[in-house]
Amino acid sequence: MSDDERDGVKLTNLDQPLFEGATKRDLVDYLDAVAGHILPVLEDRPLSVIRILRGQGPFMQKNLPKYTPDWVKRHEMWAETSKRQVSYALCDDRRTLLWFANQRAVEYHPTLMRASDDTGPTHLVLDLDPPPGDDFAHVVKAAGLVRQALADCGLAGAVKTSGSKGVHIFVPLVPGQGFDDVAAATRALAARAEAVDPSVATTAYIVEDREGKVYLDSTRAGGNTVAAAYSPRLRPGMPVSFPVAWDDLENVVPADFTVRTAPALLDGKDPWAEVMPDPQALPADLVAQGHTIPVARVVAMHEGKRRARMRAQKG
């Protein structure tokens, strides 16, 4: 049967191909199976999704379309990049999750802040990204540097595969730590991790400056989003972002966790909730150091312009 109905949501064309050998049914069945795990990390957070429609390439959807059902919760936010008011979804229940699945929404990227609390991010996040063609073992080494840097300043984090080639490291925060301070602490943490072993990892924002090292991306703070734990990713084999215990990280690869394998691995447990430390306050010295580190995108923009001028002069 190609169609179905669950929780009052009509699911259509379930046997249509979705991506790289997976069908729409694979996506719907997976999200339904892990609803109890993914909904807690989506709840009350403005949501962006990556959809893939038939005959089209993937695209990120932030603003809810006009045909969105009235029962989907919304949160209005100003989007600085597009300079407009955006109506984001709040995916707080199974019904909304199934509706998104039927819309061929594969990836789920919530903000790091809650809609009901604008006092600051709930987590500090570092996104570790390997160089092209590199293996996951390199990422594991870089993650170890971040873990060491965290421990050195009295913090602890949880790690998950990104669902792509890298990992995400989350540090839960006590409420009320402002966006600027969290962004600063994220830059400082990346710098401290890089300093542990500069031959493994780098904070260089410009790709050509990374010299084959793992990039410690500190730009997820503020209103930016990150792929949720348990979110599928639009990659071959349809992998999912999956929690891993620190001591098990060197024994896995991202491809171990897919829409077909992940539900059985959960076995009634919620590893993301289990490995997440208690909320923590950021050390004052970490925040202070971060405020002395320029924002990577701004530095890269000016450096890019400088290099372009030099190339033009040589030409």
Side-chain angles (χ1 to χ4, degrees):
M1 183 178 65
S2 183
D3 293 349
D4 193 0
E5 184 172 320
R6 306 181 198 179
D7 211 354
V9 177
K10 186 177 180 181
L11 305 168
T12 58
N13 303 313
L14 292 178
D15 295 330
Q16 283 182 353
L18 184 70
F19 184 77
E20 294 283 341
T23 65
K24 186 177 173 182
R25 185 184 301 278
D26 292 326
L27 173 68
V28 169
D29 286 347
Y30 168 76
L31 288 170
D32 203 7
V34 303
H37 296 76
I38 195 171
L39 286 173
V41 298
L42 299 180
E43 185 178 5
D44 195 32
R45 297 179 187 273
L47 179 66
S48 301
V49 296
I50 294 182
R51 298 172 61 193
I52 182 166
L53 304 184
R54 293 188 69 188
Q56 300 182 28
F59 65 97
M60 177 166 276
Q61 176 184 292
K62 297 176 180 287
N63 206 28
L64 281 170
K66 293 180 179 179
Y67 56 81
T68 303
D70 292 340
W71 44 261
V72 173
K73 293 183 183 178
R74 302 160 187 262
H75 181 71
E76 303 290 328
M77 278 178 57
W78 177 257
E80 190 60 35
T81 51
S82 56
K83 305 294 183 184
R84 62 175 180 147
Q85 197 76 2
V86 174
S87 181
Y88 288 87
L90 299 178
C91 189
D92 291 357
D93 52 50
R94 175 179 179 243
R95 190 183 188 192
T96 303
L97 184 65
L98 288 171
W99 179 80
F100 270 116
N102 193 56
Q103 297 297 307
R104 299 170 67 105
V106 177
E107 298 193 13
Y108 294 77
H109 295 247
T111 61
L112 296 174
M113 62 182 183
R114 297 189 185 280
S116 59
D117 182 6
D118 61 359
T119 60
T122 57
H123 296 79
L124 178 157
V125 174
L126 276 182
D127 179 3
L128 278 57
D129 188 21
D134 202 26
D135 60 29
F136 191 63
H138 195 176
V139 178
V140 173
K141 289 182 181 178
L145 306 185
V146 177
R147 188 185 189 190
Q148 182 63 55
L150 285 170
D152 289 345
C153 58
L155 296 173
V159 62
K160 64 184 180 69
T161 65
S162 67
S164 182
K165 299 177 181 178
V167 299
H168 297 147
I169 297 171
F170 275 57
V171 180
L173 304 175
V174 296
Q177 297 179 90
F179 291 102
D180 289 345
D181 283 350
V182 175
T186 310
R187 295 193 296 273
L189 177 63
R192 292 186 182 191
E194 177 184 25
V196 175
D197 191 343
S199 70
V200 171
T202 180
T203 57
Y205 187 80
I206 299 175
V207 175
E208 63 194 60
D209 293 346
R210 295 178 190 169
E211 301 175 335
K213 303 172 187 177
V214 173
Y215 174 48
L216 306 177
D217 184 356
S218 61
T219 65
R220 299 293 182 176
N224 291 324
T225 64
V226 63
Y230 309 112
S231 172
R233 304 299 303 273
L234 273 168
R235 305 289 189 274
M238 200 76 80
V240 304
S241 181
F242 202 84
V244 182
W246 281 106
D247 292 342
D248 294 335
L249 196 57
E250 63 182 12
N251 300 318
V252 303
V253 294
D256 291 340
F257 312 107
T258 71
V259 294
R260 293 188 174 94
T261 64
L265 295 172
L266 292 172
D267 192 26
K269 300 177 181 178
D270 187 349
W272 193 229
E274 293 169 7
V275 301
M276 190 65 66
D278 291 333
Q280 300 148 83
L282 294 169
D285 66 312
L286 188 72
V287 175
Q289 178 186 351
H291 280 299
T292 69
I293 301 173
V295 176
R297 285 193 178 99
V298 175
V299 173
M301 179 183 67
H302 291 301
E303 178 62 15
K305 291 179 179 179
R306 186 189 71 82
R307 294 183 188 186
R309 287 195 300 268
M310 289 183 65
R311 285 194 296 268
Q313 290 169 1
K314 290 179 180 179

